[in-house]
């Protein structure tokens, strides 16, 4: 059983990094591959409005969902400021998002993973009205950089217990690769040793710089 859940945020939102535009789907495939064989649950947090830009990604996620490998969360209809929107608009967004989920993925989300971690009693009530619970960006949700840094400094694998590590679907994912390998081998030292056969000498040095 894994220690953490991986939350892939901003799925179907185009990267703001010019180097990543057009490569988002390839990145998320790598992220999920690193996790799927070692019992790390992955929950893609989906933005519905711009999904038509990524037909390959939609087909890929539908296949994973049908195969029981991932279960998607709703991120939002768009990436807007839900914390400042009127209840009517929020509920309209949730309603059409759930319609999108059923039409495109054949499932309904159980979590609303709000953009920017928006949270309020009104937002929680809206989520509940549509059969979801709201998840923000507070503990146990933790940014991948913060978790990676703490793990490197302490060497204590138990700090991952019960955490939800947040990563954007278009990111390179070096920290996720590292953490997945630490979980797989159950030891930082063993992960460093075993990944020598997976990575070039240069990439291995980059990956584990400061961890020895």
């Amino acid at each position: 059983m894994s220690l953490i859940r991986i939350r892939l945020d901003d799925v179907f939102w185009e990267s703001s990094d010019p180097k990543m535009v057009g490569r988002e789907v390839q990145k998320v495939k790598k992220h999920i591959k690193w996790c799927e064989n070692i019992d790390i649950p992955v929950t893609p947090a989906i933005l519905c409005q711009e999904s038509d830009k990524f037909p390959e990604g939609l087909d890929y996620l539908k296949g994973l969902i049908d195969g029981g490998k991932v279960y998607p969360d709703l991120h939002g209809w768009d990436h807007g400021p839900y914390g400042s929107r009127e209840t009517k608009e929020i509920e309209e967004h949730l309603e059409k998002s759930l319609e999108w989920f059923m039409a495109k993925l054949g499932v309904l989300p159980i979590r609303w993973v709000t953009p920017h971690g928006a949270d309020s009693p009104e937002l929680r009530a809206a989520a509940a009205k549509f059969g979801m619970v709201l998840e923000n960006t507070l503990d146990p949700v933790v940014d991948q950089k913060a978790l990676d840094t703490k793990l490197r400094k302490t060497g204590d694998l138990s700090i991952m217990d019960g955490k939800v590590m947040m990563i954007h679907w278009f990111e390179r994912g070096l920290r996720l690769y590292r953490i997945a390998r630490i979980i797989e081998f159950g030891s930082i030292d063993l992960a460093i040793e075993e990944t020598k056969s997976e990575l070039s000498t240069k990439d291995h040095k980059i990956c584990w710089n400061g961890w020895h």
Side-chain angles (χ1 to χ4, degrees), residues 116-184:
H116 313 292
D119 194 355
S120 70
E122 291 76 19
L123 291 175
R124 288 182 176 270
K129 182 176 179 178
F130 289 91
M132 297 180 288
V133 295
L134 185 147
E135 181 174 277
N136 56 31
T137 53
L138 301 177
D139 190 61
V141 179
V142 61
D143 176 75
Q144 58 160 339
K145 182 177 180 181
L147 183 62
D148 184 75
T149 299
K150 188 173 182 180
L151 185 59
R152 175 173 54 82
K153 289 181 176 179
T154 66
D156 181 5
L157 273 60
S158 71
I159 66 169
M160 296 187 285
D161 190 21
K163 298 299 183 184
V164 178
M165 191 177 87
M166 183 171 59
I167 176 174
H168 296 98
W169 82 309
F170 45 72
E171 291 186 83
R172 292 171 176 82
L174 177 61
R175 295 183 183 94
L176 175 57
Y177 171 82
R178 196 158 45 221
I179 286 174
R181 288 296 170 266
I182 291 170
I183 292 173
E184 179 179 7

Side-chain angles (χ1 to χ4, degrees), residues 46-169:
I46 293 175
L47 293 164
C48 306
Q49 187 178 44
E50 299 184 18
S51 61
D52 288 346
K53 293 181 178 180
F54 303 96
E56 179 191 355
L58 187 57
D59 289 344
Y60 172 68
L61 282 180
K62 180 69 164 61
L64 291 176
I65 292 163
D66 290 347
K69 294 185 177 181
V70 303
Y71 200 91
D73 292 333
L74 172 64
H75 200 25
W77 179 253
D78 59 29
H79 206 272
Y82 282 96
S84 61
R85 286 174 167 164
E86 296 294 328
T87 298
K88 183 176 184 294
E89 182 182 11
I90 292 167
E91 292 185 354
E92 287 173 351
H93 276 220
L94 295 183
E95 182 175 16
K96 61 185 178 181
S97 293
L98 297 196
E99 290 173 353
W100 180 94
F101 263 74
M102 284 305 300
K104 301 292 187 178
L105 302 176
V107 296
L108 289 174
I110 60 173
R111 279 181 292 261
W112 180 21
V113 178
T114 52
H116 313 292
D119 194 355
S120 70
E122 291 76 19
L123 291 175
R124 288 182 176 270
K129 182 176 179 178
F130 289 91
M132 297 180 288
V133 295
L134 185 147
E135 181 174 277
N136 56 31
T137 53
L138 301 177
D139 190 61
V141 179
V142 61
D143 176 75
Q144 58 160 339
K145 182 177 180 181
L147 183 62
D148 184 75
T149 299
K150 188 173 182 180
L151 185 59
R152 175 173 54 82
K153 289 181 176 179
T154 66
D156 181 5
L157 273 60
S158 71
I159 66 169
M160 296 187 285
D161 190 21
K163 298 299 183 184
V164 178
M165 191 177 87
M166 183 171 59
I167 176 174
H168 296 98
W169 82 309

Side-chain angles (χ1 to χ4, degrees), residues 148 152 174-175 177-178 199-212:
D148 184 75
R152 175 173 54 82
L174 177 61
R175 295 183 183 94
Y177 171 82
R178 196 158 45 221
L199 302 171
S200 68
T201 301
K202 179 182 178 181
D203 287 344
H204 189 271
K205 183 176 181 180
I206 292 170
C207 180
W208 298 106
N209 182 40
W211 284 76
H212 296 273

